[in-house]
Amino acid sequence: MSCEQFEEQVSAYIDHELRDEETEILFRHLGNCVSCRKAMTVALDLRSGLRDQAPLLAPEELDEKVMSMARSRQLWMPDRVAVPVTMWQRRISMRVPAVAAAMFILLFGGFFASSLWLGPNDSAANAKVQTVYITTLPAVEVRGYTP
Amino acid sequence: MQPATDEQLVDRIRKEGSLAFTPLYHRYKHRVYAYCYRLLRHPQNAEDAAQETFLKIHRSLHQLDSSASLQAWIFTIARNEAFTILRRMKPSEDLENITDDVWDDETPLERVVARERSEILQHCLGLLRPAYREILILREYEQLSYTEIARVTNLSESAVKSALFKARKSMGKKLETILKGKNNELRAI
Ligand SMILES: [Zn+2]
């Protein structure tokens, strides 16, 4: 192996990309070769010099631009929308007609049932919020009481 | 809650789709911006490239292969956006021209002497040919593995290994030339 090839191994060594046996061969050569040792020093100096810099931080305006883009995309093209509803203890996944039916029952049935059967000690604090994933509807929040 | 690792973040993306975008954005915004900035050397263009990158990420989160490296995927997108902007940049905005202006004109010696070592290194990085500069940025700043760099740049791993070696060698030579030149100037006083 020529010094040129060993220098390439030096570069891979400092990147932790050499196998054990390759590392052993490299270090045997380094023991006898001043110029390859110098290549190692230069590569390590370059690394510490480049990494030893103040971090480049994204400008704050980027937050607003990106998050408003994400919000508007989420609103108009939601891939999966979380709908917090009550009276449901597990995650379900349904198609739109089923969701529409379920929403109707939840909205009116839940409201009606709660007004009929909830005792005086029931409070909003007892309400359990549950997440339901649907595929195409925008976010709707339904609040009610656990029966 | 912010996911502590990329694996946790990928897991969240798999479960929640684009609802997991916010933690991803906050985890990667500085790195993506810095990467674009170092490639483009232009704050506004870097911001535009970063914004476009996150827009693409938001759009294609569902395509993320959860077994692949998240950071390699993100930097592949960022690289495409930065290169699109780089192609649109006027020659006068191009990096090579900017550095030529800064360095090859007669720079007042005091300014050069006052330069931090890291600034000189930055300058040398800017003088490298784009392919070398890019690969050094991915390795030294973003600390991607050879496998990840190969994925981002569409090179083989052995080509990455060879390019990194050449990039370092070229950078070492440029640095040596600059430092020698400055020493001669100092001796001439
Ligand atoms: Zn040697």
Side-chain angles (χ1 to χ4, degrees):
Chain A
M1 213 188 260
S2 66
C3 277
E4 174 93 354
Q5 287 166 314
F6 274 118
E7 282 184 31
E8 186 170 324
Q9 296 296 82
V10 164
S11 166
Y13 170 74
I14 68 164
D15 290 334
H16 316 289
E17 299 273 354
L18 278 196
R19 291 191 303 271
D20 288 351
E21 57 273 26
E22 291 175 310
T23 307
E24 207 183 309
I25 296 169
L26 171 66
F27 274 81
R28 236 180 282 145
H29 177 76
L30 287 177
N32 304 314
C33 182
V34 182
S35 83
C36 285
R37 282 206 298 272
K38 192 189 164 205
M40 172 93 93
T41 315
V42 170
L44 289 172
D45 274 357
L46 281 182
R47 159 161 305 167
S48 61
L50 285 171
R51 290 188 181 173
D52 181 27
Q53 282 172 358
L56 266 172
L57 300 180
E60 279 175 16
E61 305 88 76
L62 186 65
D63 286 358
E64 185 42 44
K65 285 179 186 166
V66 170
M67 295 323 290
S68 70
M69 169 277 296
R71 273 194 301 272
S72 64
R73 277 187 54 79
Q74 199 67 52
L75 192 63
W76 296 109
M77 282 166 277
D79 51 357
R80 301 175 83 199
V81 180
V83 185
V85 294
T86 58
M87 301 185 296
W88 220 293
Q89 294 304 309
R90 60 195 174 92
R91 284 180 173 180
I92 56 159
S93 185
M94 297 186 291
R95 295 276 168 209
V96 176
V99 170
M103 299 285 279
F104 183 84
I105 294 165
L106 284 172
L107 196 63
F108 295 101
F111 178 73
F112 185 63
S114 64
S115 62
L116 274 179
W117 296 314
L118 285 180
N121 292 332
D122 289 303
S123 71
N126 292 333
K128 290 197 177 74
V129 173
Q130 185 61 44
T131 303
V132 178
Y133 291 99
I134 56 175
T135 48
T136 53
L137 285 177
V140 178
E141 194 166 292
V142 184
R143 295 207 178 276
Y145 296 104
T146 305
Chain B
M1 203 178 72
Q2 280 288 324
T5 64
D6 271 8
E7 287 72 28
Q8 289 173 2
L9 186 53
V10 169
D11 195 47
R12 245 181 101 172
I13 292 165
R14 209 168 42 78
K15 287 181 187 144
E16 301 173 20
S18 59
L19 291 174
F21 176 78
T22 305
L24 179 145
Y25 170 71
H26 288 294
R27 190 174 178 82
Y28 274 97
K29 64 179 179 179
H30 296 307
R31 287 182 68 190
V32 166
Y33 174 79
Y35 173 65
C36 294
Y37 183 86
R38 289 189 173 110
L39 281 181
L40 301 169
R41 302 253 171 155
H42 191 289
Q44 189 54 54
N45 286 342
E47 192 182 326
D48 291 349
Q51 191 184 345
E52 281 301 311
T53 299
F54 285 109
L55 175 65
K56 292 269 157 65
I57 288 174
H58 192 274
R59 242 184 237 160
S60 43
L61 265 185
H62 62 282
Q63 294 168 354
L64 173 67
D65 172 4
S66 54
S67 66
S69 154
L70 177 66
Q71 60 176 357
W73 183 69
I74 288 174
F75 284 109
T76 306
I77 296 173
R79 179 181 191 259
N80 285 338
E81 294 311 316
F83 276 45
T84 305
I85 288 180
L86 195 62
R87 278 193 289 273
R88 280 204 302 259
M89 277 164 82
K90 288 191 221 88
S92 62
E93 289 180 297
D94 190 14
L95 169 66
E96 259 62 44
N97 289 285
I98 290 172
T99 52
D100 283 351
D101 287 350
V102 170
W103 205 259
D104 290 342
D105 286 357
E106 277 181 279
T107 321
L109 190 57
E110 318 81 76
R111 246 171 61 200
V112 177
V113 174
R115 256 175 218 264
E116 296 285 334
R117 175 165 160 263
S118 70
E119 278 182 64
I120 295 176
L121 281 168
Q122 276 304 298
H123 169 70
C124 285
L125 188 64
L127 291 177
L128 290 182
R129 65 168 77 169
Y132 288 172
R133 182 169 73 236
E134 156 177 50
I135 217 157
L136 263 187
I137 291 169
L138 288 171
R139 177 63 212 146
E140 298 297 16
Y141 294 108
E142 303 312 327
Q143 301 184 32
L144 265 56
S145 68
Y146 284 13
T147 314
E148 289 171 321
I149 297 173
R151 190 168 164 218
V152 172
T153 56
N154 219 4
L155 292 169
S156 68
E157 283 184 44
S158 64
V160 168
K161 180 184 174 189
S162 162
L164 269 167
F165 158 60
K166 288 178 184 155
R168 287 182 171 124
K169 192 158 182 159
S170 170
M171 186 137 169
K173 275 187 188 154
K174 286 183 197 309
L175 189 63
E176 204 176 33
T177 313
I178 286 172
L179 293 178
K180 256 187 204 156
K182 299 310 152 202
N183 282 341
N184 289 341
E185 279 180 52
L186 282 171
R187 261 189 234 112
I189 298 176

